[in-house]
């Protein structure tokens, strides 16, 4: 395992305080899952855009749903979410409309995060189709990278 990745996992993903200071810390979850086969998530910094269902925290359920669509394992404990690598060999596509508030177009706050999570989880696949991706600047940046 790469020493920098190992250090990051031990000192960032397991630390509740630091993870909550990073606006996009939830996007470390799929990246750590691919790189290390596991992650621990304690919450995200930035605007807490969730509603009462999310206890007014930044929603993570769509990220967890995409991770589970890739046949990885998610378990929820009182203060953290744990992810473990599973067998994702049979998944070849994902439709982002499944995360939209409308069946006719892409709408709602989950489609961007679902698109980014699918991109991150597909990096180790020879071919993967993301149907109806929510394309905005940060998604294009990820694709370019």
């Amino acid at each position: 395992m790469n020493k920098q990745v190992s250090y990051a996992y031990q000192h960032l993903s397991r630390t509740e305080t630091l993870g909550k200071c990073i606006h996009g810390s939830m996007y470390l979850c799929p990246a750590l899952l691919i790189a290390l086969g596991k992650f621990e998530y304690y919450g995200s910094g930035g605007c807490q855009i969730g509603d009462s269902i999310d206890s007014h925290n930044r929603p993570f359920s769509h990220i967890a749903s995409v991770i589970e669509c890739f046949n990885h394992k998610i378990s929820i404990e009182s203060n953290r979410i744990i992810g473990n690598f599973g067998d994702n060999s049979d998944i070849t596509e994902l439709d982002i409309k499944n995360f939209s508030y409308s069946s006719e177009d892409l709408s709602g706050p989950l489609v961007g995060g679902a698109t980014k999570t699918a991109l991150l989880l597909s990096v180790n696949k020879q071919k993967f189709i993301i149907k109806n991706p929510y394309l905005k600047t940060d998604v294009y940046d990820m694709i370019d990278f």
Side-chain angles (χ1 to χ4, degrees):
M1 176 184 331
N2 178 311
K3 284 185 181 182
Q4 289 88 1
V5 172
S6 176
Y7 179 85
Y9 180 75
Q10 292 173 10
H11 294 88
L12 291 177
S13 72
R14 292 186 181 190
T15 305
E16 181 175 355
T17 304
L18 288 177
K20 288 183 176 179
C21 293
I22 302 169
H23 172 79
S25 63
M26 67 180 55
Y27 298 113
L28 289 171
C29 296
L32 288 169
L33 188 62
I34 294 300
L36 302 175
K38 60 185 176 181
F39 71 82
E40 294 178 20
Y41 175 74
Y42 295 91
S44 184
C47 302
Q48 298 303 310
I49 60 174
D51 53 26
S52 60
I53 294 171
D54 303 303
S55 301
H56 300 285
N57 294 315
R58 183 167 284 277
F60 189 81
S61 60
H62 60 304
I63 306 295
S65 292
V66 174
I67 290 169
E68 289 177 330
C69 285
F70 276 77
N71 296 323
H72 302 304
K73 309 297 181 221
I74 295 286
S75 60
I76 299 172
E77 296 183 359
S78 61
N79 69 332
R80 65 183 175 166
I81 298 170
I82 300 169
N84 287 290
F85 198 84
D87 178 20
N88 71 348
S89 59
D90 62 339
I91 183 167
T92 58
E93 64 183 42
L94 183 69
D95 191 345
I96 299 303
K97 271 195 178 176
N98 294 333
F99 300 92
S100 177
Y101 284 4
S102 167
S103 60
E104 296 176 17
D105 60 1
L106 292 176
S107 66
L110 308 181
V111 293
T115 300
K116 290 182 268 191
T117 303
L119 277 171
L120 289 166
L121 291 172
S122 66
V123 298
N124 67 346
K125 294 191 155 293
Q126 187 71 24
K127 180 181 178 180
F128 190 80
I129 298 167
I130 300 174
K131 292 182 176 181
N132 302 301
Y134 183 70
L135 298 175
K136 57 182 189 172
T137 305
D138 53 345
V139 173
Y140 282 119
D141 289 343
M142 288 177 75
I143 292 168
D144 288 343
F145 180 73

